[in-house]
Amino acid sequence: MVVVQSPEILESYIRSCEESTAAISSGIPVIDLSRREEAKPLIVKACQEFGFFKVINHGIPMEFLEEMEAEALSYFKLPQMDKDKSGPADPFGYGNKKIGSNGDMGWVEYLLFDACPVFFSGIPESLRELVKEYVKKVKKMASEALEMLSQEMKIGEKDCLSRLINDDKSDCLFRLNHYPPVRHHGGSVRRNLIGFGEHTDPQIISVLRSNNISGLQICLRDGAWVSVPPDHTAFFFNVGDVLQVMTNGRFRSAKHRVVVGDGGEGEKSRVSMVFFGGPPLNKTINAVSSLMEEGEESSYQEFTWSQYKTSAYKTRLGDDRLRLFQK
């Protein structure tokens, strides 16, 4: 369980959430992976308009996902002193409240893994083996989505994007997040507490799956925050900063956050699993030339993933990381 050090610290995380947080269940792009040809243009449109989409009929068995979720919850229910043996996250391992090294805090505890390969000591072998299998399955699904993007946009060979996350030296991560229930000292449930602050994902693409508890919110182009109805049978994809650069801004990196108690569900724990598909550290990131129109110039400076990652890790969660690389 996450332990708050003082009421003042807790209050500092509260946000009013006065922005629009209406559910957009009818507006979220839904991609049916079992209908590949129909899905291709829909994925492109979703990446252009939202930077975010939901995937159904993905082929990953629910029994496996439920087993993974149960094993993760079992870990997070361990005594705090046992979980602390797996931390602090530096960067991999167990973390509690502290997100990164630049002062960001949230109502969350987590396990962060290097996904190529999956490893760090201090967690049960049963959980480690499930994480390995989960990463394998989700990376395959992410690769399929990236290949569909490549084909629809005619930007090169089928695997020109997917091979960036499948390379032996790919810098992929996997994160298990646990957002425990939040209560006042009098026992009533707090709502609209920031579990994970607003940010974009710096990698190419990220794939999220959570239990059936609300909390995920995305920011639309007009700046309005909207709540994403949970669906434990589906996956949610986020465009990352790298893909925004590679498409020269045609795709948008989706800003998102997690609010604990969103929708009045503050009495229940939220568990999420996130795969981050990153390229090799030495990969040069620039706009794909085949996408560029005649006379079009790149909006961003050329950089390696290592350079961008180093820069991103020096910022706060809500900072505009790409601004530093704009021309």
Side-chain angles (χ1 to χ4, degrees):
M1 180 66 68
V2 178
V3 179
V4 172
Q5 296 174 345
S6 71
E8 290 74 19
I9 292 178
L10 179 60
E11 293 296 337
S12 71
Y13 304 150
I14 296 289
R15 303 287 178 87
S16 64
C17 293
E18 293 175 350
E19 305 93 326
S20 169
T21 54
I24 55 169
S25 56
S26 61
I28 292 177
V30 179
I31 309 300
D32 185 341
L33 282 189
S34 69
R35 299 186 167 190
R36 186 179 180 91
E37 292 307 311
E38 293 178 23
K40 289 178 183 178
L42 295 177
I43 291 179
V44 172
K45 184 178 180 181
C47 290
Q48 291 171 334
E49 296 182 357
F50 286 88
F52 178 86
F53 56 91
K54 174 179 174 177
V55 164
I56 61 173
N57 293 331
H58 42 74
I60 300 179
M62 272 303 300
E63 293 81 3
F64 172 75
L65 296 175
E66 290 170 351
E67 182 182 8
M68 176 75 183
E69 181 182 313
E71 192 71 24
L73 271 173
S74 294
Y75 173 83
F76 288 119
K77 288 179 180 178
L78 291 173
Q80 190 64 49
M81 62 182 297
D82 291 341
K83 292 182 289 188
D84 286 341
K85 294 176 182 178
S86 304
D90 186 31
F92 307 117
Y94 173 79
N96 185 341
K97 297 190 298 294
K98 183 179 177 181
I99 303 171
S101 57
N102 300 307
D104 290 297
M105 305 288 283
W107 188 258
V108 63
E109 58 179 344
Y110 62 89
L111 284 170
L112 182 62
F113 298 79
D114 180 354
C116 298
V118 174
F119 181 76
F120 75 80
S121 60
I123 63 169
E125 181 66 22
S126 54
L127 177 58
R128 186 181 300 115
E129 290 304 312
L130 283 171
V131 168
K132 287 180 180 179
E133 186 62 23
Y134 183 91
V135 167
K136 178 181 177 180
K137 292 178 184 296
V138 174
K139 183 189 288 189
K140 180 180 178 182
M141 178 175 54
S143 298
E144 182 178 356
L146 289 173
E147 288 171 3
M148 293 163 75
L149 280 174
S150 300
Q151 290 176 312
E152 182 65 19
M153 298 187 75
K154 299 178 175 59
I155 59 176
E157 298 176 1
K158 175 183 175 181
D159 67 344
C160 65
L161 294 177
S162 63
R163 65 189 177 209
L164 297 178
I165 69 171
N166 288 310
D167 191 286
D168 289 341
K169 296 182 179 179
S170 295
D171 187 34
C172 298
L173 304 176
F174 177 69
R175 187 180 185 109
L176 280 173
N177 291 320
H178 177 228
Y179 303 93
V182 189
R183 293 188 177 276
H184 291 272
H185 292 296
S188 60
V189 176
R190 286 188 178 272
R191 296 184 181 182
N192 295 336
L193 181 69
I194 295 298
F196 210 108
E198 61 183 72
H199 64 286
T200 60
D201 295 335
Q203 291 87 357
I204 299 171
I205 202 161
S206 53
V207 185
L208 165 73
R209 187 262 174 186
S210 70
N211 60 352
N212 234 19
I213 304 299
S214 61
L216 178 63
Q217 297 181 352
I218 62 171
C219 187
L220 303 183
R221 286 188 180 274
D222 63 3
W225 284 96
V226 293
S227 297
V228 178
D231 184 349
H232 68 295
T233 68
F235 289 87
F236 295 89
F237 280 60
N238 280 311
V239 169
D241 294 345
V242 167
L243 194 53
Q244 178 169 319
V245 172
M246 294 181 74
T247 60
N248 207 33
R250 288 167 173 78
F251 293 173
R252 63 182 295 262
S253 182
K255 184 181 290 186
H256 53 286
R257 67 185 181 188
V258 174
V259 176
V260 180
D262 181 34
E265 293 185 313
E267 294 183 355
K268 303 175 182 178
S269 291
R270 183 174 187 272
V271 177
S272 66
M273 314 166 188
V274 194
F275 169 78
F276 300 95
L281 290 171
N282 63 357
K283 169 64 180 176
T284 298
I285 308 299
N286 49 26
V288 178
S289 59
S290 59
L291 280 180
M292 306 284 275
E293 297 178 359
E294 185 176 353
E296 180 180 354
E297 295 184 0
S298 173
S299 299
Y300 304 94
Q301 303 171 31
E302 185 176 279
F303 54 82
T304 65
W305 168 236
S306 177
Q307 290 172 325
Y308 188 66
K309 181 179 179 180
T310 299
S311 174
Y313 276 44
K314 292 179 180 178
T315 65
R316 299 292 298 270
L317 274 178
D319 290 345
D320 184 355
R321 298 160 173 153
L322 279 177
R323 180 181 58 82
L324 299 176
F325 293 85
Q326 287 180 317
K327 290 184 177 179

